[in-house]
Amino acid sequence: MPEPRARVRVAVLISGSGSNMAALIDAADRPGAPFEVVLVLSNKAEAGGLAVAGARGIATAVVAHKAFGGDRAAHEQAVQTVLDAHAVQVVALAGYMRLLTPFLVRRWAGRMLNIHPSLLPKYPGLDTHARALAAGDAEAGCSVHLVAEGIDDGPLLGQSAVPIMADDTPASLAQRVLAAEHRLYPAVLADFCRDRLAGSQAR
């Protein structure tokens, strides 16, 4: 029998409903996918995405940040312990609403991805759609990047532009950008993991 095809073990970190997480899980189920989602972790027990992942048979974990008070490093060390326990190789942030400390960022340097709802370097942080509309931009969009120590900073891996319509509101624009995110993130993560597998086989 042929050996099982190698796939990169990915953890997805969420804080909410996990729609991008679900898109990544769907992509991992496609024939030839170079990654598998082995863990969904949240800092909030009430995150809706946990139930979605559980229903798909994926391991879930909660490391509630409130239990650690203001000790962000201790919280991240607990997160790292769970990632180690699942032999995670790549981390994908998908609506994980925590500002990471250098501990976790450096631990996963070059192996942690994030998706952000703007065409970075424009509009890091929050309220991206309202800011794009207020600026009179012709287009908005989303970006996937490697995580660095700055807010929504790090090398870009892919972007998708979304035209801004004359009657757009932040809500209507957000809906269309989110649809673009669901296409972009799986494609970029697949390319990233495919490159990792090719590099490991070349060594």
mmCIF file of all heavy atoms in Angstrom, residues 38-72:
data_model
loop_
_atom_site.group_PDB
_atom_site.id
_atom_site.type_symbol
_atom_site.label_atom_id
_atom_site.label_comp_id
_atom_site.label_asym_id
_atom_site.label_seq_id
_atom_site.Cartn_x
_atom_site.Cartn_y
_atom_site.Cartn_z
ATOM 1 N N VAL A 38 -5.907 20.280 12.413
ATOM 2 C CA VAL A 38 -5.865 19.288 13.493
ATOM 3 C C VAL A 38 -6.372 19.857 14.816
ATOM 4 O O VAL A 38 -6.588 19.106 15.765
ATOM 5 C CB VAL A 38 -4.441 18.736 13.682
ATOM 6 C CG1 VAL A 38 -3.979 18.038 12.411
ATOM 7 C CG2 VAL A 38 -3.452 19.837 14.075
ATOM 8 N N LEU A 39 -6.556 21.184 14.871
ATOM 9 C CA LEU A 39 -6.972 21.816 16.119
ATOM 10 C C LEU A 39 -7.623 23.154 15.826
ATOM 11 O O LEU A 39 -7.139 23.914 14.973
ATOM 12 C CB LEU A 39 -5.755 22.034 17.030
ATOM 13 C CG LEU A 39 -5.966 22.849 18.312
ATOM 14 C CD1 LEU A 39 -6.830 22.077 19.311
ATOM 15 C CD2 LEU A 39 -4.633 23.220 18.941
ATOM 16 N N VAL A 40 -8.712 23.440 16.526
ATOM 17 C CA VAL A 40 -9.285 24.790 16.557
ATOM 18 C C VAL A 40 -9.252 25.237 18.012
ATOM 19 O O VAL A 40 -9.818 24.568 18.884
ATOM 20 C CB VAL A 40 -10.711 24.820 15.994
ATOM 21 C CG1 VAL A 40 -11.355 26.182 16.232
ATOM 22 C CG2 VAL A 40 -10.694 24.502 14.495
ATOM 23 N N LEU A 41 -8.581 26.340 18.261
ATOM 24 C CA LEU A 41 -8.394 26.853 19.624
ATOM 25 C C LEU A 41 -8.983 28.245 19.726
ATOM 26 O O LEU A 41 -8.832 29.058 18.806
ATOM 27 C CB LEU A 41 -6.906 26.867 19.967
ATOM 28 C CG LEU A 41 -6.510 27.322 21.384
ATOM 29 C CD1 LEU A 41 -5.242 26.592 21.832
ATOM 30 C CD2 LEU A 41 -6.281 28.835 21.461
ATOM 31 N N SER A 42 -9.644 28.514 20.844
ATOM 32 C CA SER A 42 -10.226 29.837 21.071
ATOM 33 C C SER A 42 -9.866 30.343 22.455
ATOM 34 O O SER A 42 -9.641 29.568 23.386
ATOM 35 C CB SER A 42 -11.751 29.784 20.932
ATOM 36 O OG SER A 42 -12.317 31.078 21.141
ATOM 37 N N ASN A 43 -9.826 31.658 22.556
ATOM 38 C CA ASN A 43 -9.654 32.291 23.863
ATOM 39 C C ASN A 43 -10.994 32.541 24.546
ATOM 40 O O ASN A 43 -11.028 33.061 25.660
ATOM 41 C CB ASN A 43 -8.907 33.619 23.714
ATOM 42 C CG ASN A 43 -9.663 34.623 22.859
ATOM 43 O OD1 ASN A 43 -10.113 34.301 21.769
ATOM 44 N ND2 ASN A 43 -9.812 35.854 23.348
ATOM 45 N N LYS A 44 -12.086 32.143 23.878
ATOM 46 C CA LYS A 44 -13.433 32.342 24.432
ATOM 47 C C LYS A 44 -14.225 31.047 24.337
ATOM 48 O O LYS A 44 -14.414 30.496 23.245
ATOM 49 C CB LYS A 44 -14.166 33.445 23.664
ATOM 50 C CG LYS A 44 -13.525 34.824 23.796
ATOM 51 C CD LYS A 44 -14.341 35.867 23.051
ATOM 52 C CE LYS A 44 -13.761 37.262 23.239
ATOM 53 N NZ LYS A 44 -14.576 38.290 22.541
ATOM 54 N N ALA A 45 -14.721 30.577 25.482
ATOM 55 C CA ALA A 45 -15.480 29.328 25.497
ATOM 56 C C ALA A 45 -16.766 29.431 24.686
ATOM 57 O O ALA A 45 -17.265 28.420 24.181
ATOM 58 C CB ALA A 45 -15.797 28.946 26.939
ATOM 59 N N GLU A 46 -17.302 30.648 24.563
ATOM 60 C CA GLU A 46 -18.569 30.827 23.853
ATOM 61 C C GLU A 46 -18.402 31.029 22.348
ATOM 62 O O GLU A 46 -19.387 31.260 21.628
ATOM 63 C CB GLU A 46 -19.336 32.010 24.443
ATOM 64 C CG GLU A 46 -18.684 33.375 24.219
ATOM 65 C CD GLU A 46 -17.662 33.765 25.277
ATOM 66 O OE1 GLU A 46 -17.182 32.873 26.012
ATOM 67 O OE2 GLU A 46 -17.337 34.967 25.370
ATOM 68 N N ALA A 47 -17.195 30.951 21.842
ATOM 69 C CA ALA A 47 -16.965 31.159 20.410
ATOM 70 C C ALA A 47 -17.752 30.136 19.594
ATOM 71 O O ALA A 47 -17.602 28.925 19.776
ATOM 72 C CB ALA A 47 -15.480 31.049 20.099
ATOM 73 N N GLY A 48 -18.581 30.611 18.698
ATOM 74 C CA GLY A 48 -19.444 29.727 17.928
ATOM 75 C C GLY A 48 -18.687 28.764 17.034
ATOM 76 O O GLY A 48 -19.171 27.672 16.724
ATOM 77 N N GLY A 49 -17.499 29.158 16.618
ATOM 78 C CA GLY A 49 -16.718 28.297 15.734
ATOM 79 C C GLY A 49 -16.293 26.993 16.364
ATOM 80 O O GLY A 49 -16.008 26.018 15.654
ATOM 81 N N LEU A 50 -16.245 26.935 17.685
ATOM 82 C CA LEU A 50 -15.850 25.689 18.354
ATOM 83 C C LEU A 50 -16.844 24.569 18.055
ATOM 84 O O LEU A 50 -16.451 23.431 17.793
ATOM 85 C CB LEU A 50 -15.741 25.917 19.860
ATOM 86 C CG LEU A 50 -14.607 26.835 20.325
ATOM 87 C CD1 LEU A 50 -14.760 27.171 21.806
ATOM 88 C CD2 LEU A 50 -13.241 26.195 20.057
ATOM 89 N N ALA A 51 -18.135 24.883 18.105
ATOM 90 C CA ALA A 51 -19.150 23.878 17.804
ATOM 91 C C ALA A 51 -19.089 23.453 16.348
ATOM 92 O O ALA A 51 -19.278 22.275 16.016
ATOM 93 C CB ALA A 51 -20.536 24.414 18.146
ATOM 94 N N VAL A 52 -18.805 24.399 15.466
ATOM 95 C CA VAL A 52 -18.690 24.083 14.039
ATOM 96 C C VAL A 52 -17.546 23.102 13.819
ATOM 97 O O VAL A 52 -17.685 22.091 13.120
ATOM 98 C CB VAL A 52 -18.472 25.369 13.218
ATOM 99 C CG1 VAL A 52 -18.216 25.039 11.757
ATOM 100 C CG2 VAL A 52 -19.676 26.300 13.349
ATOM 101 N N ALA A 53 -16.397 23.389 14.434
ATOM 102 C CA ALA A 53 -15.233 22.512 14.278
ATOM 103 C C ALA A 53 -15.498 21.144 14.902
ATOM 104 O O ALA A 53 -15.155 20.109 14.315
ATOM 105 C CB ALA A 53 -14.009 23.156 14.910
ATOM 106 N N GLY A 54 -16.107 21.140 16.082
ATOM 107 C CA GLY A 54 -16.401 19.881 16.739
ATOM 108 C C GLY A 54 -17.310 18.993 15.921
ATOM 109 O O GLY A 54 -17.135 17.774 15.863
ATOM 110 N N ALA A 55 -18.288 19.622 15.254
ATOM 111 C CA ALA A 55 -19.208 18.861 14.420
ATOM 112 C C ALA A 55 -18.514 18.255 13.200
ATOM 113 O O ALA A 55 -19.000 17.277 12.631
ATOM 114 C CB ALA A 55 -20.360 19.756 13.963
ATOM 115 N N ARG A 56 -17.376 18.833 12.840
ATOM 116 C CA ARG A 56 -16.585 18.302 11.723
ATOM 117 C C ARG A 56 -15.549 17.285 12.188
ATOM 118 O O ARG A 56 -14.719 16.826 11.397
ATOM 119 C CB ARG A 56 -15.899 19.456 10.987
ATOM 120 C CG ARG A 56 -16.836 20.503 10.396
ATOM 121 C CD ARG A 56 -17.569 20.003 9.170
ATOM 122 N NE ARG A 56 -16.678 19.780 8.053
ATOM 123 C CZ ARG A 56 -16.366 20.710 7.143
ATOM 124 N NH1 ARG A 56 -16.911 21.923 7.227
ATOM 125 N NH2 ARG A 56 -15.557 20.432 6.135
ATOM 126 N N GLY A 57 -15.560 16.961 13.468
ATOM 127 C CA GLY A 57 -14.637 15.968 13.994
ATOM 128 C C GLY A 57 -13.247 16.480 14.281
ATOM 129 O O GLY A 57 -12.296 15.693 14.399
ATOM 130 N N ILE A 58 -13.109 17.779 14.424
ATOM 131 C CA ILE A 58 -11.795 18.385 14.677
ATOM 132 C C ILE A 58 -11.649 18.672 16.162
ATOM 133 O O ILE A 58 -12.587 19.151 16.814
ATOM 134 C CB ILE A 58 -11.635 19.667 13.838
ATOM 135 C CG1 ILE A 58 -11.611 19.303 12.356
ATOM 136 C CG2 ILE A 58 -10.371 20.425 14.214
ATOM 137 C CD1 ILE A 58 -11.710 20.477 11.428
ATOM 138 N N ALA A 59 -10.473 18.404 16.688
ATOM 139 C CA ALA A 59 -10.197 18.669 18.100
ATOM 140 C C ALA A 59 -10.329 20.162 18.381
ATOM 141 O O ALA A 59 -9.902 20.999 17.575
ATOM 142 C CB ALA A 59 -8.800 18.191 18.469
ATOM 143 N N THR A 60 -10.914 20.500 19.521
ATOM 144 C CA THR A 60 -11.059 21.901 19.915
ATOM 145 C C THR A 60 -10.493 22.093 21.312
ATOM 146 O O THR A 60 -10.395 21.149 22.103
ATOM 147 C CB THR A 60 -12.536 22.341 19.901
ATOM 148 O OG1 THR A 60 -13.274 21.558 20.847
ATOM 149 C CG2 THR A 60 -13.148 22.194 18.511
ATOM 150 N N ALA A 61 -10.115 23.330 21.591
ATOM 151 C CA ALA A 61 -9.578 23.658 22.910
ATOM 152 C C ALA A 61 -9.917 25.108 23.222
ATOM 153 O O ALA A 61 -10.016 25.955 22.319
ATOM 154 C CB ALA A 61 -8.070 23.454 22.960
ATOM 155 N N VAL A 62 -10.099 25.389 24.507
ATOM 156 C CA VAL A 62 -10.315 26.751 24.983
ATOM 157 C C VAL A 62 -9.215 27.081 25.977
ATOM 158 O O VAL A 62 -8.983 26.329 26.931
ATOM 159 C CB VAL A 62 -11.692 26.904 25.659
ATOM 160 C CG1 VAL A 62 -11.846 28.313 26.232
ATOM 161 C CG2 VAL A 62 -12.812 26.609 24.678
ATOM 162 N N VAL A 63 -8.518 28.180 25.721
ATOM 163 C CA VAL A 63 -7.568 28.731 26.694
ATOM 164 C C VAL A 63 -8.055 30.149 26.963
ATOM 165 O O VAL A 63 -7.706 31.090 26.247
ATOM 166 C CB VAL A 63 -6.125 28.718 26.165
ATOM 167 C CG1 VAL A 63 -5.165 29.223 27.250
ATOM 168 C CG2 VAL A 63 -5.721 27.312 25.722
ATOM 169 N N ALA A 64 -8.922 30.283 27.961
ATOM 170 C CA ALA A 64 -9.604 31.552 28.219
ATOM 171 C C ALA A 64 -8.619 32.577 28.781
ATOM 172 O O ALA A 64 -8.002 32.347 29.824
ATOM 173 C CB ALA A 64 -10.755 31.333 29.186
ATOM 174 N N HIS A 65 -8.499 33.700 28.083
ATOM 175 C CA HIS A 65 -7.519 34.695 28.525
ATOM 176 C C HIS A 65 -7.906 35.329 29.852
ATOM 177 O O HIS A 65 -7.036 35.736 30.627
ATOM 178 C CB HIS A 65 -7.326 35.765 27.452
ATOM 179 C CG HIS A 65 -8.556 36.586 27.181
ATOM 180 N ND1 HIS A 65 -9.547 36.192 26.307
ATOM 181 C CD2 HIS A 65 -8.948 37.793 27.668
ATOM 182 C CE1 HIS A 65 -10.489 37.110 26.263
ATOM 183 N NE2 HIS A 65 -10.163 38.091 27.085
ATOM 184 N N LYS A 66 -9.204 35.389 30.141
ATOM 185 C CA LYS A 66 -9.632 36.035 31.386
ATOM 186 C C LYS A 66 -9.118 35.288 32.612
ATOM 187 O O LYS A 66 -8.932 35.887 33.678
ATOM 188 C CB LYS A 66 -11.152 36.137 31.419
ATOM 189 C CG LYS A 66 -11.712 37.151 30.421
ATOM 190 C CD LYS A 66 -13.223 37.273 30.535
ATOM 191 C CE LYS A 66 -13.765 38.312 29.555
ATOM 192 N NZ LYS A 66 -15.245 38.444 29.642
ATOM 193 N N ALA A 67 -8.887 33.992 32.472
ATOM 194 C CA ALA A 67 -8.399 33.205 33.606
ATOM 195 C C ALA A 67 -6.989 33.598 34.021
ATOM 196 O O ALA A 67 -6.548 33.277 35.124
ATOM 197 C CB ALA A 67 -8.432 31.719 33.254
ATOM 198 N N PHE A 68 -6.297 34.315 33.134
ATOM 199 C CA PHE A 68 -4.910 34.695 33.407
ATOM 200 C C PHE A 68 -4.775 36.159 33.828
ATOM 201 O O PHE A 68 -3.661 36.664 33.970
ATOM 202 C CB PHE A 68 -4.042 34.434 32.172
ATOM 203 C CG PHE A 68 -3.924 32.980 31.840
ATOM 204 C CD1 PHE A 68 -4.894 32.347 31.074
ATOM 205 C CD2 PHE A 68 -2.859 32.230 32.305
ATOM 206 C CE1 PHE A 68 -4.805 30.995 30.772
ATOM 207 C CE2 PHE A 68 -2.750 30.883 32.014
ATOM 208 C CZ PHE A 68 -3.728 30.263 31.246
ATOM 209 N N GLY A 69 -5.913 36.831 34.038
ATOM 210 C CA GLY A 69 -5.848 38.242 34.408
ATOM 211 C C GLY A 69 -5.164 39.028 33.304
ATOM 212 O O GLY A 69 -5.470 38.885 32.129
ATOM 213 N N GLY A 70 -4.196 39.826 33.677
ATOM 214 C CA GLY A 70 -3.474 40.612 32.679
ATOM 215 C C GLY A 70 -2.176 39.981 32.241
ATOM 216 O O GLY A 70 -1.380 40.627 31.548
ATOM 217 N N ASP A 71 -1.933 38.732 32.621
ATOM 218 C CA ASP A 71 -0.660 38.084 32.298
ATOM 219 C C ASP A 71 -0.740 37.467 30.904
ATOM 220 O O ASP A 71 -1.046 36.283 30.737
ATOM 221 C CB ASP A 71 -0.333 37.025 33.355
ATOM 222 C CG ASP A 71 1.102 36.541 33.264
ATOM 223 O OD1 ASP A 71 1.735 36.736 32.210
ATOM 224 O OD2 ASP A 71 1.588 35.950 34.257
ATOM 225 N N ARG A 72 -0.443 38.272 29.903
ATOM 226 C CA ARG A 72 -0.564 37.830 28.512
ATOM 227 C C ARG A 72 0.449 36.727 28.190
ATOM 228 O O ARG A 72 0.154 35.792 27.451
ATOM 229 C CB ARG A 72 -0.370 39.016 27.567
ATOM 230 C CG ARG A 72 -1.349 40.160 27.823
ATOM 231 C CD ARG A 72 -1.053 41.351 26.919
ATOM 232 N NE ARG A 72 -1.490 41.084 25.564
ATOM 233 C CZ ARG A 72 -2.726 41.308 25.112
ATOM 234 N NH1 ARG A 72 -3.661 41.785 25.930
ATOM 235 N NH2 ARG A 72 -3.047 41.057 23.874
#
